Amino acid sequence: MNVNGKWYRAIWPNEHDPETVEIIDQRKLPHRFEIVGLTTAEKTIQAIRDMYVRGAPLIGATGAWGVYLAVVNMKDADNPLQYLKEECFKIGNARPTAVNLEWAVKAMETAILEKPNAEDWLKAAWFKAIEITEAEVENCRQIGLHGSPLIEEISKKKNGKTVNILTHCNAGWLACVDHGTATAPIYAAFDKGIDVHVWVDETRPLNQGSRLTAWELGQHGVPHTVITDNAGGHLMQHGKVDMVIVGTDRTTHTGDAANKVGTYLKALAAKDNNVPFYVALPSSTIDWELKDGVKDIPIENRDPDEVRKVWGLHDGHLVDVLVPPEDSPALNVAFDVTPARLVTGLITERGLCKASEDGVRSLFPDKMK
Ligand code: MRU
């Protein structure tokens, strides 16, 4: 994506030093655009945990590059196989909810171990990390192509008047290497000249909406308005939302979708107001094992201080301000699960389908267990 006239992805290998992988420090956006070089698996884990990078497809791609960096640093390992397995385990567990991480790390491990000789691992790891990254970019591009006609249809029904789309969190190119999932149809429709406007939920506690989605949309020129997390229901009741599109961190093959906490409440409000509610995702975000998302998807509990404090950038440094009384505890559940019955449809790289086992099977018969 274009940032101040230069083309960026959310992760890329350094063009002069193949032992460094570069990312954007998303904690500092939108006020600072800082690039950080990752040189070890440990730094990669820290970048995922501390949210330098976030968003399911990007967490997956970062995990893949983390495995590559583990192999780069394998030189002195006495037992390469044990070393690789331990590093993959650590990277795969950096954050629990986005299934992309587990998927990407497993894909890396399998590709590397296809080479019996550890001397061939570096090349295998490099090519697999490239393959995973490029596949996610292409998947997101396809999501845009399949999802934008939904926006065009609404635009036609409204005789070309503005289509108002609500989104929660950041499921844009920053979360996905490029294009985004929820934003891909929006960018594609906007680029075709459709009049769109996006309601951006601010997405407390870490404000991925007001910091990242608003910034991304602004860079692309897409009209948008930041709203509080609780405003969506009111806007829907007053006919100001034509559709909701969100991303997801893990969607079961039965259609239950985990996404940033608060998504479920938006889906309930959308149902009550007959507003279509779409979930956009690449197949790397589908969990082919779990059936009951509400019961079984692991939900990350993060540091309560993320809720108790408001974080921001001051003179280039991350600072925080305490809001509740010093001794009030807080709970920081980072995700919730929207049951399939509240989802109008899934937008995937292979097209649209119902959020149900049959729907997912119709597009991915080859991946269904
Ligand atoms: O905690 P985060 O910022 O990693 O959460 C991200 C989200 O919830 C996104 O909506 C989701 O990963 C979809 S990204 C295409």
Side-chain angles (χ1 to χ4, degrees), residues 91-201:
I91 299 165
N93 283 286
R95 285 186 76 190
T97 303
V99 76
N100 304 60
L101 181 59
E102 197 183 305
W103 166 82
V105 169
K106 205 175 267 175
M108 288 294 291
E109 194 181 329
T110 308
I112 292 166
L113 292 180
E114 268 169 18
K115 305 284 172 202
N117 189 343
E119 278 161 23
D120 299 328
W121 287 3
L122 188 60
K123 205 167 153 198
W126 169 265
F127 282 112
K128 192 66 189 177
I130 297 262
E131 184 191 310
I132 287 171
T133 309
E134 293 301 324
E136 286 307 52
V137 171
E138 178 56 17
N139 286 342
C140 288
R141 199 180 70 81
Q142 291 294 335
I143 288 168
L145 296 181
H146 292 300
S148 60
L150 293 168
I151 301 174
E152 283 180 69
E153 224 170 89
I154 296 173
S155 166
K156 268 189 209 134
K157 275 194 200 143
K158 291 184 77 175
N159 294 320
K161 284 206 189 106
T162 310
V163 180
N164 289 297
I165 304 159
L166 184 143
T167 193
H168 191 70
C169 198
N170 173 260
W173 71 268
L174 285 168
C176 301
V177 188
D178 208 352
H179 304 289
T181 54
T183 56
I186 298 171
Y187 288 137
F190 175 81
D191 291 347
K192 273 189 216 161
I194 308 288
D195 185 352
V196 293
H197 165 262
V198 184
W199 296 113
V200 178
D201 281 352

Side-chain angles (χ1 to χ4, degrees), residues 225-280:
T225 307
V226 175
I227 53 174
T228 61
D229 288 327
N230 297 321
H234 168 81
L235 294 173
M236 289 183 208
Q237 285 175 324
H238 290 272
K240 298 206 166 125
V241 181
D242 295 302
M243 70 192 304
V244 178
I245 314 181
V246 293
T248 167
D249 294 84
R250 184 187 302 234
T251 289
T252 61
H253 62 283
T254 53
D256 297 337
N259 191 45
K260 181 54 59 193
V261 69
T263 303
Y264 170 48
L265 292 178
K266 291 298 132 61
L268 283 172
K271 187 76 169 179
D272 195 43
N273 291 283
N274 285 322
V275 172
F277 182 98
Y278 287 95
V279 176

